[in-house]
Every structure is written in structure tokens, then in C-alpha cells.
Amino acid sequence: MKKIILLFIGFTLFSCMQPLDKQSTRLPYVLKGSINGEFDDFIRIRYDDQIDSVEVINNSFQFEGEVSSPKAFRFTFDSITTSDVFYLENDTLVFDIIVDEVKLDQDTFKDYEIRQLSGGKTKDLKAYMNTLLKSSSKSKKNRSLLVKEIDSLIKIYPNHDYLGKLLSELSMKQYLLYTDIRGLVSKINIDELNPHDIGVLEKYQQKRRNYQIGSEIPSFELISITSETVKLRSELSKLNLIIFWDSWCEECKSKQADLLEIYRSYKFEGFEVIGVSLDTNQQDWITAVSQKSFPWKSLRVESGFTGKMASEMGIVDLPQNYLVDKKGRIIEINLSLDELKTILSALLD
């Protein structure tokens, strides 16, 4: 929790930096750099579904142009090879590109290493947000803090392409819930953002809408330790914490170990834990369950992340948990242990 508070303070300081110009309708940029290694005569970038190119002279290149707001772009080297995403913004952006040859069997391929040396505020902004998310476990309290952070971000950097990327990630990994994202999206002009990012955002928001607090989780068919087909509803008690995990997720196993005390305290009051594994290999799952010897029910989604339950509910990041009642109605999503204990105390004591 201390990390969250420190990062929140850090963002307050960060937001005092000179923001991107919110008044100008066009933002001039300069994108330049050097290339080390064998390269074609022209270098290309793709943004807003268009391609721009400039000539490479003495291993150097320079693009100049304008954008209506900071835009995501990629260097494109051939029909299939592109760089990671960078951002065109109101600054001089300096890059270094190293071209190397990689041999695979009888074929030779070019490998491109791209580094942004200087310019632009987005690089620092992304680093800040990545640090914040890595230090923030999923919980109801952290969701509230994160919403405040993103709201401040929207006020400082309106219509920045990075917002689409960030919001799609927050929805996809369920750091924020459906209503959180919907509230933030209402404050931005999504027509100004990258269409691909908005497509991903809309896809996962639909899944979050279908399985938001108050919705019911259907009686999905799952696999038991003995390889029998089990309907989820038949396993539900008065209150149930459904935990999505797999044998490769160390954080998942650690959190389950921390849950033991709560489980033992409320087991006989009508509380049940159901571990739902997304392992595709049955034996990996069985081995992990036997090693940990958790006393609660253990089931598995056939086909893992691509299985029906995980796919329909949009489970792509682990761990995740859902508190549901006997009918499968969702009471809360991604609770911390303290938050879970508070709810159980109120409902079962």
C-alpha cells in the first residue's frame, strides 16, 4: 500500500511537468535518428493507417510533420517486420536503429534493435504507469486509486493515443471493472485514438459488461481431478470465491496460501473456495494441486485460456477472483484478502 501512495504522490509531481499543448489543433514533430548496419535507401513509419517515408542519407534520417494529437506509430521494415509502438508528439524524437543479420538454418534474416534516445514525454509516462501497475495488486481499494490516476492523466493529456492503449490493457487484465472504464471513456474523444486499441477495448468491455457485479455466472462445465465433467453451479455454497489460476503462476499459488486462514474461519459458515485452473495439461494441474494440498475444491477449464469459461469471461491475466452467491451472482471482483474478510464478516458472522 505504501508503494501506491508514493506512486500517487509521484504522479502528482509528474503532472506538474509541462503538459502537451492542449490548445493547438496541430502538433509539429521531428523524428530523426541514425542507422547502424546494412539498410535500404528509405525508412518508413506507419501511423493513422498511413505510411510516410524519407530517404536515408549517410546512415541518418529525419521525418517532419504534424499530428492533431500524440499518435502511435511503428517503424516498418518490410511487409511483416515492424517495431514496437512509439509516439509522435510535439518534440524532437531521436532514435538509434541497429540492423543485424540472423541465420536460421539456411536462411538469413534481418534483426532490428530500436532505441528511443531522447525526446517526448510518453516514454516517461509509460514507464511511470508500468511501475504503478506492477506495484498494484488487483483490489477494490486499488481500483479507486487507479481511477483517480487515470482521470488526472486524461485531464493532462487529452486525446493522447496512449490512453487507448492503456485503457484497453486495464480492461483486458481487469485492473479496472466495466463501470470504471466506462466512466473514464466518457471523458475522452475515442475518435482521436488508435482504432486498433479501441477495438481491443470494446471487445473486452463487452465481456466485462456481461460479467459485471450483479450478473450471474452460468453453470459452465469444468473438469474435476478425476477427469469427470462437473457443472459449476453444483459446487456452489452460500458464498464462494472463484479463483482463476494455473500451475505456472507463482503469485496465484502464493495468494491461495494466504487465503487458508480465512477459509478455515468461514468454511462452516457457508463459505467455499473454488480453484479454477487454466492449465491445458491435466498432469501439471494435478501435480500443483497435490503439492499445495489446498483443502478447497479444485476444477479445471478444458483448453485453458481458450476454453469456454475463460474465453467468455475474458480471463487473460492471472490471478483473478470472483465472489459469488449460490446462484452464481457476482458480488465482487478481484478482492484483496482484507476486503474479502470484511465482506464475509458482514454477511456470515
Side-chain angles (χ1 to χ4, degrees), residues 3 5 32 48 73 111 119 161 230 266 291:
K3 290 183 178 179
I5 295 172
K32 65 181 183 178
D48 271 357
F73 80 92
D111 179 66
D161 247 359
V230 176
Y266 290 95
Q291 286 176 344

Side-chain angles (χ1 to χ4, degrees), residues 296-308:
W296 45 75
K297 300 175 182 180
S298 296
L299 301 171
R300 184 174 71 88
V301 178
E302 190 172 13
S303 300
F305 286 96
T306 61
K308 186 175 181 180

Side-chain angles (χ1 to χ4, degrees), residues 90-109:
N90 187 16
D91 205 345
T92 297
L93 315 173
V94 182
F95 287 82
D96 179 50
I97 300 176
I98 299 175
V99 185
D100 201 0
E101 289 190 346
V102 177
K103 290 187 177 181
L104 182 62
D105 296 328
Q106 302 299 318
D107 298 317
T108 300
F109 302 91

Side-chain angles (χ1 to χ4, degrees), residues 251-268:
E251 182 184 355
C252 300
K253 290 181 280 190
S254 174
K255 285 184 178 296
Q256 289 189 65
D258 294 338
L259 181 61
L260 275 171
E261 181 182 346
I262 297 177
Y263 178 75
R264 289 167 178 157
S265 297
Y266 290 95
K267 166 66 178 175
F268 298 105

Side-chain angles (χ1 to χ4, degrees), residues 47-49 71-72 161 164-165 168 190-203:
Y47 66 98
D48 271 357
D49 291 328
K71 295 293 181 184
D161 247 359
K165 183 76 171 177
S168 65
I190 61 172
D191 292 335
E192 288 287 336
L193 305 183
N194 186 288
H196 172 75
D197 295 331
I198 297 304
V200 173
L201 175 60
E202 290 176 345
K203 172 185 175 181

